Amino acid sequence: MIHQEQWQQLVAMIARHTPEDGRHFSPIDFLSFGRSSKPTSLSHIATWASFALVAQGQKALRMGDDVMHYGPGDLLLVTLDMPVQSCVVQATEEKPNLGVGITINETRLMHYLEHFPLQQIGATVTNERGITVHKVATPLVDAVIRLIELLDQPQDIPALAPLIEQEIFYRLLTGPEGPRILNMALTERPGNKVARAARWLRENFHQPLKMDQLASSVGMSISSLHHHFKSVTAMTPMQYQKQLRLNEARRLMLIDKLDAGTAGYRVGYQSASQFSREYSRFYGQSPARDVRMVAVGPEGLTPQQ
């Protein structure tokens, strides 16, 4: 159970490192903060392997048809990169939404696992979802607080931040989500194979999707990949690819000022009418109308927690 004093300390620390709304990176490469002084509408973002704590306020995240709410005392764990929708549900000028994000470096996690006694980790995960919310344990919050405190002693960051990162790995692996993290990290696990398939789709979303080739490249049958991919992401591989394409097309129109036809072709659509239909179904209005109505800003256009 999280002590109130501990949570108040976390709120004060995040507030000090977020002087204005938005996402704030830190000198520690895997640590960042977020602040919002008002609720926001659902916006399309990208997530990556990480976890987040909301110290004040409340947020919601939609993955496929799943909707998750999280606030103080909750841990949002993400085990692979995927497109989702996110919004701030509760925030005011006096009590802004304040959060901290920790990116899970998969290379360093794998190196840590080489020396970790896997028998300490519980049973195999039954729910394969790539994003989950559960109550956070006090020792993990302690480690996060000590990591943030290092920002006031920058000379100690090179020596101590890696040690605290390893403690965070330990707390995650020995907690209720340990099996889920192994499912992400170990090559022979379905979750890792789905993550590799998702990575290929993310890097090659403009190419035609050939399920037989994708399944073969990650060592799964087509039916197994389809089943596990939907279990992890709440989407089929085709739906996942479509979200990536439409998100990138929207970014190209809003940021690079491309017209709808050019943006659609750039992300892999051969038919302008098909692109317009799918865009309208996904965003609720035509590409031209959407671009006119959306004010360009960081929210929804860049990855964030």
Side-chain angles (χ1 to χ4, degrees), residues 261-274:
T262 303
Y265 181 78
R266 184 79 61 86
V267 301
Y269 283 93
Q270 300 302 312
S271 166
S273 59
Q274 181 189 4

Side-chain angles (χ1 to χ4, degrees), residues 197-273:
R199 186 176 300 117
W200 187 92
L201 287 169
R202 189 176 67 252
E203 294 171 355
N204 302 277
F205 59 81
H206 56 284
Q207 296 186 23
L209 174 57
K210 297 179 179 179
M211 280 295 296
D212 55 341
Q213 294 181 9
L214 181 60
S216 176
S217 71
V218 298
M220 302 179 85
S221 67
I222 294 175
S223 59
S224 180
L225 175 59
H226 193 279
H227 168 74
H228 287 291
F229 198 99
K230 191 165 186 179
S231 294
V232 171
T233 67
M235 291 175 274
T236 67
M238 185 170 292
Q239 289 170 330
Y240 184 94
Q241 182 196 54
K242 185 182 297 185
Q243 284 207 24
L244 293 172
R245 284 182 168 185
L246 294 174
N247 286 346
E248 174 62 9
R250 190 173 193 245
R251 188 195 68 80
L252 289 171
M253 290 186 291
L254 290 168
I255 303 299
D256 294 352
K257 308 302 182 184
L258 297 186
D259 61 85
T262 303
Y265 181 78
R266 184 79 61 86
V267 301
Y269 283 93
Q270 300 302 312
S271 166
S273 59

